[in-house]
Amino acid sequence: MPSNVEVKAVVSNPEDFAGVAAQLSQSEGAIIRQHDTFFHCSQGRLKLRDFMDGTGQLIFYERPDSDGPKLSRYSISPTSDPSSLRMVLSDALGVKGEVRKERRLFLVGQTRIHLDSVEGLGHYMELEVVMRPEQTVEEGQQVAHGLMEQLGVSEESLVTGAYMDLILKGVKET
């Protein structure tokens, strides 16, 4: 199963963060609109990501709920009909909740830097260090820590869990 090391944090100044991420990636980043529907499942998390253009991905992942860099294992299946798949999964499993966001994606080496504007929550960043088969979790964590430092992400701004967890807890916009 593919894996990555992930970090999530609150971003207090999205313009400054985007500027540093753009410098690191030498790009302005790609804008991606996403509507994620989370379904009840017995282990891990199952979500359908709708890209709002007729395409989507069914994603299953397992990741500890802790702050700082952590290993996430995932499986992804593309779909060309996310709305009918959402109906089937909703009937079969029930909907846990939904997350709508606009994501600005920057690529730096093996890392995907996301600047997310999440409806009802505010601005966050995610780092996804895509692990190579020969890499250890510790090596992925070192990459994440190095980028956190370059991006000015403090330990105090780190967040545990998924956006869905924050919404279910009633966390308000930052």
Side-chain angles (χ1 to χ4, degrees):
M1 187 179 285
S3 64
N4 57 33
V5 169
E6 295 186 13
V7 179
K8 186 185 315 271
V10 173
V11 173
S12 57
N13 190 324
E15 293 80 18
D16 287 352
F17 183 90
V20 175
Q23 282 182 328
L24 292 172
S25 70
Q26 299 179 355
S27 79
E28 291 304 310
I31 303 293
I32 306 166
R33 290 181 44 228
Q34 298 176 344
H35 175 192
D36 293 346
T37 304
F38 285 77
F39 302 96
H40 296 285
C41 67
S42 60
Q43 66 180 43
R45 292 183 172 99
L46 181 66
K47 68 182 172 186
L48 176 64
R49 173 160 288 158
D50 187 336
F51 291 111
M52 314 304 291
D53 64 359
T55 66
Q57 298 173 325
L58 184 62
I59 304 168
F60 170 76
Y61 66 100
E62 294 178 297
R63 175 184 70 212
D65 288 331
S66 58
D67 59 10
K70 56 203 157 278
L71 186 67
S72 175
R73 298 189 187 281
Y74 58 91
S75 301
I76 298 175
S77 178
T79 180
S80 58
D81 192 358
S83 56
S84 69
L85 185 54
R86 181 182 301 109
M87 287 179 12
V88 170
L89 290 168
S90 297
D91 289 346
L93 302 173
V95 173
K96 187 175 185 177
E98 298 180 41
V99 175
R100 289 178 173 81
K101 65 182 173 279
E102 183 175 281
R103 169 166 280 176
R104 191 164 166 190
L105 169 65
F106 303 91
L107 300 175
V108 176
Q110 71 189 91
T111 305
R112 298 167 55 91
I113 300 172
H114 303 149
L115 175 58
D116 293 336
S117 177
V118 184
E119 190 176 293
L121 291 179
H123 299 284
Y124 291 79
M125 76 96 214
E126 284 185 354
L127 301 179
E128 291 180 353
V129 181
V130 180
M131 299 299 291
R132 298 182 189 120
E134 74 279 1
Q135 282 184 303
T136 65
V137 174
E138 292 75 22
E139 289 171 323
Q141 290 171 329
Q142 287 175 347
V143 171
H145 279 296
L147 278 171
M148 286 171 59
E149 192 173 306
Q150 290 179 285
L151 291 162
V153 176
S154 69
E155 296 286 329
E156 297 77 39
S157 66
L158 296 178
V159 174
T160 62
Y163 296 135
M164 185 75 262
D165 300 328
L166 298 174
I167 289 170
L168 291 173
K169 286 180 189 170
V171 172
K172 299 299 179 206
E173 196 153 319
T174 58

